[in-house]
Amino acid sequence: MAHKDKIIKTNAARLLDRAGIHYQLIPYTVDPDNLAATHVAEELGEDIKRVFKTLVLHGDRVGYIVCVVPGDSEVDLKKAAAAAGDKKVEMIPMKELLPLTGYIRGGCSPIGMKKPFPTFFHSTAADYDFIYVSAGQRGLQLKINPGQLIDYCRATISDIATE
């Protein structure tokens, strides 16, 4: 039985449990008017460079790709396209996010999307012993070793963000 004060595990957390990967679920207060990673970092009391956001793009050849970048940067579309082997990529329209991934804006995790997509982590993820990514719902982050997360997601490390 779950206690009232216990954090409810998300699908992403259950998948990590099944894979034997250590993580922590870290709750934070959601501001529906400010879903930015900077707000998440402030709530966590962490460096924004450790708080990664998950973005979904569509390419002209490969199709959908997932880019995981530090919260204070944006995906560089040319670099992301090159990493994916596409000529060009663009962000998907927000209305496509939930049907495509099963996640909503502000709660999109690189773990447990409806289908696996080619995934790219910005190269700075490897600089840290732990990073934060969404646990799959607003108000909950995964604190996790980036190497284990990247391996689990079968992701590629690439310079895909603006500086």
Side-chain angles (χ1 to χ4, degrees), residues 2-162:
H3 297 294
K4 285 183 182 175
D5 59 346
K6 186 171 172 140
I7 297 169
I8 304 296
K9 284 204 173 174
T10 61
N11 187 46
R14 286 189 289 276
L15 290 168
L16 291 172
D17 286 345
R18 220 174 290 145
I21 296 173
H22 176 74
Y23 64 90
Q24 286 179 275
L25 285 172
I26 310 291
Y28 67 93
T29 303
V30 176
D31 177 353
D33 296 322
N34 182 5
L35 298 175
T38 49
H39 171 73
V40 176
E42 288 167 12
E43 285 291 316
L44 298 175
E46 286 288 349
D47 181 350
I48 186 64
K49 295 188 182 314
R50 279 188 191 259
V51 178
F52 283 68
K53 56 189 176 184
T54 304
L55 304 165
V56 182
L57 295 87
H58 188 266
D60 60 340
R61 292 186 195 153
V62 175
Y64 295 104
I65 64 168
V66 176
C67 292
V68 186
V69 298
D72 64 344
S73 64
E74 297 297 327
V75 172
D76 182 309
L77 298 178
K78 287 184 179 170
K79 291 177 181 178
D86 268 323
K87 282 189 177 175
K88 79 178 228 194
V89 295
E90 60 188 20
M91 295 289 295
I92 64 167
M94 199 55 58
K95 67 182 189 306
E96 290 181 21
L97 186 64
L98 180 60
L100 182 68
T101 67
Y103 292 125
I104 60 171
R105 180 172 175 253
C108 188
S109 179
I111 304 162
M113 290 188 182
K114 286 183 175 181
K115 290 170 47 176
F117 299 111
T119 302
F120 302 89
F121 275 74
H122 188 256
S123 53
T124 58
D127 295 346
Y128 301 106
D129 54 345
F130 67 87
I131 61 170
Y132 294 90
V133 296
S134 175
Q137 69 183 41
R138 291 177 183 166
L140 199 58
Q141 290 280 300
L142 288 166
K143 181 179 179 181
I144 189 166
N145 175 280
Q148 290 182 318
L149 177 60
I150 290 163
D151 287 349
Y152 179 80
C153 293
R154 293 184 174 92
T156 303
I157 296 174
S158 186
D159 178 20
I160 54 168
T162 58

